[in-house]
Amino acid sequence: MSNKRLLLIAAGILVAIVALLTLNLSAAEFGIVMLGGAAVVAVVMFIVTRRRYQRMTEAEKENRTPPRL
């Protein structure tokens, strides 16, 4: 399931970039649009992560091990 989700996200980003390139925007305008899109993605990921953490039970929170690098 996560592979399909990643492919859908990648396809969406590709379509968005191609759509932006067809609008004949300047480099600065393109950069501002991409920066705005990155901000939207960051906010959405923050909300999703926060909701997931709130749904966890106390036992799951205590037994959770942080990822290693």
Side-chain angles (χ1 to χ4, degrees):
M1 179 66 185
S2 65
N3 287 339
K4 287 183 183 179
R5 186 178 298 162
L6 287 174
L7 287 174
L8 286 174
I9 291 170
I13 291 171
L14 182 64
V15 168
I17 289 174
V18 170
L20 286 173
L21 290 175
T22 59
L23 293 175
N24 293 327
L25 299 174
S26 69
E29 293 169 337
F30 184 81
I32 290 171
V33 171
M34 294 301 287
L35 187 62
V40 169
V41 169
V43 169
V44 169
M45 291 304 296
F46 173 76
I47 292 170
V48 167
T49 303
R50 199 173 100 217
R51 282 188 182 173
R52 182 178 297 163
Y53 186 74
Q54 288 175 349
R55 279 188 305 196
M56 291 173 67
T57 63
E58 289 300 321
E60 289 174 332
K61 288 179 184 177
E62 290 174 2
N63 292 334
R64 184 174 167 264
T65 58
R68 292 185 180 167
L69 296 177

